[in-house]
Structures are given as structure tokens and as C-alpha cells.
Amino acid sequence: MATSEAFLQVIGGSLPSLFGSDDSFRKLGSSHTSRSFIRIRKKRGSMCVNFLNCSNISYRAIRVDCFQSTRQSVHGDIGHSNLRSVNCKCQQADSASSFASEKGNGSWTIDNDQSFDTVHGNTPSVMQFETVRELKVGEENFQSNGSLPPNGLVEDTLNRIAGNSIEDEAWELLRESMVYYCGSPVGTIAAKDPTSSTADVLNYDQVFIRDFIPSGIAFLLKGEYEIVRNFILHTLQLQSWEKTMDCHSPGQGLMPASFKVRTVPLDGDDSATEEVLDPDFGEAAIGRVAPVDSGLWWIILLRAYGKSSGDLSVQERIDVQTGIKMILRLCLADGFDMFPTLLVTDGSCMIDRRMGIHGHPLEIQALFHSALLCAREMLTPEDGSADLIRALNNRLVALSFHIREYYWIDMKKLNEIYRYQTEEYSYDAVNKFNIYPDQISPWLVDWMPSKGGYLIGNLQPAHMDFRFFSLGNLWSIVCSLTTDDQSHAILDLIEAKWTDLVADMPFKICYPALEGQEWKIITGCDPKNTPWSYHNGGSWPTLLWQLAVASIKMNRPEIAAKAVEVAEKRISQDKWPEYYDTKKARFIGKQARLFQTWSIAGYLVAKLLLANPSSAKILISQEDSELLNAFSCAISSNPRRKKRGPKSPQKTYIV
């Protein structure tokens, strides 16, 4: 019993790793012996776990330092190849298959022909062994008193076994999607669909910033930090490259949408090759869309890495601090806009095709707010950051007030808009954006529940986009962009409209779909965004993880648990599609890739968070008292009483 308990503690991560992270050990290439061996076999319909003596564990590690160029600031003049890529000058005869993470690694063998590797993920979970224990207890009870165990216990146990098998499959698929650069993991490809031909791959074989976020969170929750650290630092290197399309260069702080590891001939030696990172900043993307959300997600992941691993040295590095400031400088730059929200083009976020979200889409504003909070938490206090932090705080207050006041809609607010007067010219006008009541669509009047509400998708002069956009609303809860009452109201609406937003597969990316003439005008007759497909009302399983974080934050995890149960009924059988079509998500998407990585990772993150809700703190941002007081002052102030006149000169901040 003592041996089995010790093993469970090792698997659960509560004991030190089998192999330490000492550099002297990493240099060894010999075989090492373990004192534990696992064998799993079936007996009379139940499983037994026997712990036998040792099995040889082959352990080797090849040390390739790919971060020499990142130890100094990477934002200077850096030479690169014709691919404008990051070069790695290491030649390899073959790929390295085993690396020591900071947590160390080892392997467990099963019946001498299978290997459990704590780095590459075939680790048996504590849940699996608890299930084994329950089955053994059930069998013993049956043998001792001759009566069957309670039906509820058997059903619950079988359901848990089925759930574990789906999780095991998901972990295996996630690890198969990992991309290596110089022998080290740096990300996961968008999809590894064996049914796709080479011509149909497009850019699904690349590592996307936004797509890797759920993968990175899954690895963090699993205690595997190396791949996330590598991803953060390598994408930071790519930020500094010159970006040009048709003789125009965007802002210096722009992060790439994706990158690909390529093997190219070494300069001056055709017999040797080198690996390079080839980034895409949107100049090769379909529609040439700018990846506005990439830098925002990068900051969010950076904070999550520090909170999860406890390694704050990464975010304190000079080059990382500089990267954060460059993103902030790009987002906080002055422009012509009168609003505190970010002004972007269509297709600048998860919805990366023409869907009528240009202007001030909710998803970008939620990520912007979240990134500002995370950056403020990570910026090191220094004289050069004082003005930047001041500008950041001012923007946070203005953004929170704007979204809560003008984007929020419920039955009460809808009735107010219905009675709006138009063409008001006044500093204290009620209808500030000159919204015409006729914009209220008939579907919204019937769809809005009496209890609940949500943030609309977009707001511009004389225009309110009343569609419900899931990611923007869910992440607004996570980052405290909404008040507690508003956050609960959003979850109330999700429960009230479950058959519309979840149905046979969670979760609708937006509701409702654009149809008829509206679809033709807004999407340009996009054949991929037909009604109830893809971004136009399709259902995306990856949104499970955002739903889980939001539900846990508001202490309502049962909502996410119910959605996970719905997904588990078919997502594995359907081969982990990218999205689902039809109003009730009955069909696999007509152009959906199978084995889509963020569908897999989104499910895993949701399961991990529901199993350990306290781990969601690495993603959640709470509103502090300082901002709350400033927000209260903004509400109580009367714009009519404000002094109007020449604006005092502001201090500039230099990055």
C-alpha cells in the first residue's frame, strides 16, 4: 500500500520528479535504473496494478542552446536569411527525441512493450488509478457478500473510464502535433489531418499564436513548462523582424500570426542544412488580415506561465520587458478615434474572415483589457515605465467604463434603445451614438430572456451589432471587464439559451448567423461562411476552455461540466473536428479539418480546470480597488461640468 501511495503521489506531481533537473545529470547518456515498475493486467473483469522491481530506463539528452541570441535584447539589428527567419546554426544527423525539462523526466514501462514518458505525456493519471481502486473494491464487495454493487457506482465508474480514455487519446494527439526547433518543442501545429492532401494543407501545418494558447495552457496545467517557455521566447524573437507588404511596414510591436519551422541548405554548404523559423505577419494570410490579437494573447500566456511555473525570470528579462512595452506602445498609440476601444479591421482575431466585425469588435476589446491588466502586473518598476503605466491605467478605466456602459444589453436596456430619441446635439445626450431604434432586429426581441444579458458585438456611430459573440463575452468575464452582476447575467443567458448556443456540440462562435441578403452584403457571399457554418454561426469545441474559466471564476462550474458532457458524446468519434455546422451543430463542418489541435487542447484544458478549479487563477484577472475607485469617479463625474479648454501637455513615454 505504501508503494502504491507513493506511486500515485509521483504521478500526481506531489513528490519530486524521478530525475532531477541538475545539469550534470542532463549531460549523462547512460542508462539508469528505476526502483518501480508498473504492470497492468485484466483479471475477472477488473484491473490489478502490481508493482514489481526495476526496469531499465533509457535516458539521454542533447543540449542545444537555441537562446543564445535571446540573452541580450533581440530588438536590435539582427541578420537573417532570405526567408527573413530566425536561424538555428545547429546541424543534426537525426532529430532528438528526448529532452530533460526543468521538472526532469523519466519513463514507466508496461509489460515491457509500452512506455510511459512523463515529458511526452503517456503518464497514467491519478484518476485512472482511483478508478482501478473503485473497481477492485466493487469486485471485493461482490465476492464477499454475493450482492451487486449499487447501480449508480457502476455507472459513474464506467462513465469515468470512458472519459479517461478520451482524455488519453487527446493527450496523445496533442503531443503528436508538437513542433520541434533545434530539438526543442516550440509549439503545436494547427491541425494534423491525415485526410488532407498536400495541396489542401494551406497554413494548417504552421504554429499559430492564438491556436497555441489552449495547448500552452494544457501543458502548464500538466506541469510541463519547457514548450511554453520556448514558444514565448522564440515568438518574441520574431517580433523584431522587419515586416513589409507592398512597401508598407506595420508597427514594430506586431507579433506574427503564425510561424513554420523550415529546413534549408546551409549558406556555402549544400550538403548541410539548418532549421529556420519563418514567420507570417499577415502578408501571406488569406485576405492579408493583420493579427491584432496575437500580441494580446502572447502577454496573457506569458503571465500564465509565470503564475503556473513560478519562474518569473522569463518575464523579468530585458528582452521580454521590451517586447511587452512594444506591444503596449502599439496599442496605446494616439489616433483619430474618440473611443478608448481599439479600432481594427475585419478579420483581425479568431474570426479572421469578412464577417462585419470591423471597427471595435468585442473580442479584441476583451483581450485588450486582459493584456493591459497582465502587462501592468508584469512590468518591472523603473523610471522609464512610469509614464507607460500611467497611460495604461488611464486606458483601463476608460475602457472598462465604455464597455460596461455602452456595450451591455438586457431586456431593460433594449427597451431604452427602443424609446431612443435621435439627432441629439448635446454634451449630455442620452443617445450618444445616434442609434436608430429600427436597428433592433425582430429575432432579438424574441430571443432576449427576461433574466440575463450580454455584451453586444460592436459599437460605432449609428451602429450596434446585436449578435452574441461567445469568446468576447466569456473572456470579458475572465478578465473582469464586466461587473459581477453582468458576468452572472451572461451565464444566465447561456443557460437560458442552451439549445441555441450549445445544442449538440458546444459552443456557437456567434449567434445568430447572417442569412439571405444580409449574408451576401456583409460577407461578400463567402462560400466558407455560409449560414450556420464556420465563423457564421458555426460551433467550435475549442471554446470549451474559455467557458470553463468563466464558469469557474463565477463559481458556477456546473455550466462548463454540462457542456463537456455534451462534447464527450461525439467529439472523439468525429475525430476532433475544427468546427460543426447547422443550427444545432448536427454536422461536422463542411470544410472542417479533423484532429484540429485547439479542439483537442480546448477539451483538455476544460477537463483539467474542472478537476482542479483553483488552477484557473493563472488566467483570471480580478479588478483591483484602485481601478474600481477610478471607475466610480468616472461614473459620478458629469461631462457637462468638465472644464473645456486647451489640453495640458502630456508626458511622453519611450520604449
Side-chain angles (χ1 to χ4, degrees):
M1 179 62 71
T3 305
S4 62
E5 289 179 355
F7 172 75
L8 290 177
Q9 287 179 328
V10 170
I11 294 302
S14 59
L15 287 182
S17 300
L18 293 176
F19 302 108
S21 57
D22 185 74
D23 287 340
S24 61
F25 181 83
R26 293 182 181 180
K27 295 178 182 178
L28 297 177
S30 59
S31 296
H32 298 268
T33 303
S34 169
R35 293 298 305 274
S36 299
F37 172 69
I38 303 174
R39 189 170 174 222
I40 298 179
R41 59 190 174 85
K42 290 186 178 179
K43 182 179 180 181
R44 296 182 187 178
S46 68
M47 291 185 290
C48 302
V49 180
N50 293 335
F51 296 87
L52 305 179
N53 282 328
C54 69
S55 170
N56 288 336
I57 298 175
S58 176
Y59 181 91
R60 64 189 177 94
I62 300 175
R63 300 189 66 197
V64 180
D65 192 353
C66 293
F67 290 105
Q68 292 178 354
S69 62
T70 64
R71 288 175 180 165
Q72 299 176 351
S73 177
V74 299
H75 298 280
D77 294 326
I78 303 176
H80 49 86
S81 69
N82 293 333
L83 288 172
R84 296 184 299 97
S85 310
V86 175
N87 296 324
C88 177
K89 299 294 183 181
C90 57
Q91 295 100 36
Q92 300 172 338
D94 56 355
S95 61
S97 62
S98 179
F99 285 83
S101 68
E102 294 185 7
K103 283 286 186 183
N105 74 352
S107 65
W108 299 91
T109 57
I110 297 183
D111 286 341
N112 290 326
D113 62 354
Q114 286 182 316
S115 140
F116 278 151
D117 186 340
T118 61
V119 170
H120 294 93
N122 298 324
T123 317
S125 65
V126 175
M127 184 74 76
Q128 289 174 300
F129 286 94
E130 290 297 333
T131 301
V132 171
R133 184 181 298 173
E134 285 189 19
L135 285 173
K136 285 285 292 179
V137 170
E139 182 188 25
E140 290 170 0
N141 290 340
F142 172 70
Q143 292 174 345
S144 63
N145 56 27
S147 61
L148 290 172
N151 290 334
L153 175 62
V154 174
E155 184 177 356
D156 291 345
T157 304
L158 292 176
N159 288 338
R160 197 174 315 143
I161 293 175
N164 289 342
S165 65
I166 297 176
E167 288 183 67
D168 293 340
E169 177 194 2
W171 275 113
E172 182 179 354
L173 292 171
L174 182 61
R175 297 183 192 285
E176 288 177 358
S177 71
M178 291 170 63
V179 174
Y180 290 82
Y181 172 61
C182 299
S184 298
V186 293
T188 53
I189 60 174
K192 195 174 183 180
D193 187 350
T195 65
S196 297
S197 63
T198 304
D200 293 335
V201 170
L202 298 176
N203 55 357
Y204 280 82
D205 61 345
Q206 298 188 22
V207 180
F208 279 81
I209 304 293
R210 76 171 68 95
D211 290 41
F212 178 73
I213 302 303
S215 297
I217 299 300
F219 286 121
L220 291 178
L221 295 175
K222 198 74 168 178
E224 301 175 20
Y225 308 124
E226 181 190 11
I227 184 173
V228 181
R229 183 180 189 274
N230 294 344
F231 173 86
I232 289 170
L233 294 176
H234 279 303
T235 49
L236 177 66
Q237 286 181 289
L238 299 175
Q239 182 193 39
S240 65
W241 294 133
E242 181 182 354
K243 304 165 274 287
T244 304
M245 190 181 80
D246 297 336
C247 303
H248 173 71
S249 297
Q252 190 180 9
L254 184 67
M255 297 292 283
S258 63
F259 66 86
K260 183 177 177 65
V261 178
R262 300 186 188 276
T263 302
V264 299
L266 188 63
D267 292 341
D269 187 358
D270 294 338
S271 62
T273 60
E274 62 178 345
E275 288 184 339
V276 298
L277 294 180
D278 185 19
D280 174 23
F281 291 92
E283 68 268 48
I286 299 172
R288 302 300 187 264
V289 291
V292 178
D293 63 337
S294 290
L296 306 177
W297 276 124
W298 183 86
I299 291 177
I300 294 169
L301 182 63
L302 174 62
R303 173 183 179 263
Y305 169 81
K307 281 189 166 292
S308 180
S309 67
D311 177 17
L312 302 182
S313 63
V314 174
Q315 68 189 45
E316 292 171 354
R317 289 168 48 138
I318 295 176
D319 54 342
V320 174
Q321 287 286 311
T322 305
I324 296 173
K325 293 175 184 178
M326 290 176 67
I327 296 172
L328 294 179
R329 176 178 161 185
L330 189 62
C331 294
L332 297 173
D334 292 332
F336 291 103
D337 205 359
M338 292 290 293
F339 310 137
T341 43
L342 276 182
L343 178 64
V344 299
T345 62
D346 222 335
S348 57
C349 51
M350 179 181 177
I351 298 179
D352 57 1
R353 298 172 75 90
R354 181 176 164 187
M355 271 289 293
I357 65 169
H358 56 279
H360 308 88
L362 176 63
E363 179 180 334
I364 290 293
Q365 315 315 321
L367 294 177
F368 181 35
H369 184 269
S370 183
L372 289 177
L373 288 173
C374 293
R376 189 181 67 156
E377 187 177 318
M378 294 185 293
L379 282 174
T380 55
E382 57 184 14
D383 294 338
S385 301
D387 291 332
L388 180 59
I389 294 175
R390 187 181 302 110
L392 185 155
N393 286 330
N394 291 338
R395 192 64 168 266
L396 275 172
V397 173
L399 181 63
S400 297
F401 176 81
H402 187 83
I403 296 295
R404 294 176 181 182
E405 186 73 9
Y406 304 125
Y407 275 63
W408 180 253
I409 189 169
D410 53 15
M411 186 58 75
K412 178 182 177 182
K413 183 68 174 181
L414 193 61
N415 204 160
E416 290 179 9
I417 297 173
Y418 180 73
R419 293 170 53 82
Y420 267 172
Q421 299 296 318
T422 60
E423 314 303 330
E424 293 181 285
Y425 181 79
S426 170
Y427 293 114
D428 53 0
V430 175
N431 187 3
K432 294 181 174 63
F433 303 98
N434 201 34
I435 303 299
Y436 300 109
D438 288 343
Q439 289 185 28
I440 299 176
S441 302
W443 72 265
L444 181 59
V445 177
D446 298 330
W447 193 71
M448 179 66 73
S450 57
K451 179 184 178 182
Y454 65 96
L455 297 174
I456 62 174
N458 212 326
L459 176 65
Q460 299 184 73
H463 173 66
M464 296 182 80
D465 187 345
F466 290 107
R467 286 176 290 176
F468 176 87
F469 287 87
S470 301
L471 198 159
N473 274 277
L474 293 174
W475 205 256
S476 294
I477 297 175
V478 174
C479 70
S480 299
L481 181 55
T482 50
T483 65
D484 283 349
D485 289 342
Q486 290 174 340
S487 297
H488 279 296
I490 293 172
L491 296 180
D492 289 339
L493 179 135
I494 290 173
E495 287 189 309
K497 298 299 175 182
W498 189 264
T499 56
D500 293 329
L501 300 176
V502 177
D504 288 353
M505 178 59 65
F507 199 88
K508 285 294 179 192
I509 190 171
C510 69
Y511 186 92
L514 300 172
E515 298 181 280
Q517 192 69 15
E518 190 177 31
W519 166 77
K520 293 180 180 180
I521 295 173
I522 293 178
T523 72
C525 300
D526 186 351
K528 195 168 185 176
N529 272 334
T530 53
W532 307 109
S533 178
Y534 202 49
H535 297 143
N536 189 16
S539 296
W540 293 69
T542 186
L543 293 172
L544 273 173
W545 77 273
Q546 285 103 335
L547 176 63
V549 182
S551 300
I552 290 171
K553 179 177 184 285
M554 303 313 298
N555 198 27
R556 298 170 68 174
E558 68 279 359
I559 297 176
K562 182 180 176 183
V564 169
E565 288 181 5
V566 173
E568 286 180 333
K569 293 178 181 178
R570 58 182 296 201
I571 191 169
S572 176
Q573 297 176 1
D574 293 341
K575 301 178 181 179
W576 306 92
E578 178 183 12
Y579 63 94
Y580 286 79
D581 283 356
T582 74
K583 194 171 184 178
K584 300 297 182 183
R586 301 294 299 276
F587 293 165
I588 296 173
K590 56 185 174 183
Q591 296 188 42
R593 295 298 194 278
L594 302 181
F595 301 105
Q596 183 79 13
T597 303
W598 69 352
S599 295
I600 298 166
Y603 165 78
L604 285 174
V605 172
K607 292 288 286 187
L608 289 167
L609 291 175
L610 290 172
N612 182 19
S614 63
S615 60
K617 66 180 181 295
I618 68 173
L619 297 164
I620 293 171
S621 295
Q622 300 288 355
E623 187 175 42
D624 59 31
S625 57
E626 179 183 345
L627 283 178
L628 191 60
N629 290 336
F631 181 72
S632 300
C633 293
I635 294 178
S636 60
S637 64
N638 188 339
R640 192 175 182 181
R641 295 176 184 173
K642 289 182 179 179
K643 181 180 179 181
R644 302 181 69 242
K647 187 177 182 181
S648 58
Q650 291 183 340
K651 293 182 179 180
T652 58
Y653 51 89
I654 300 174
V655 177

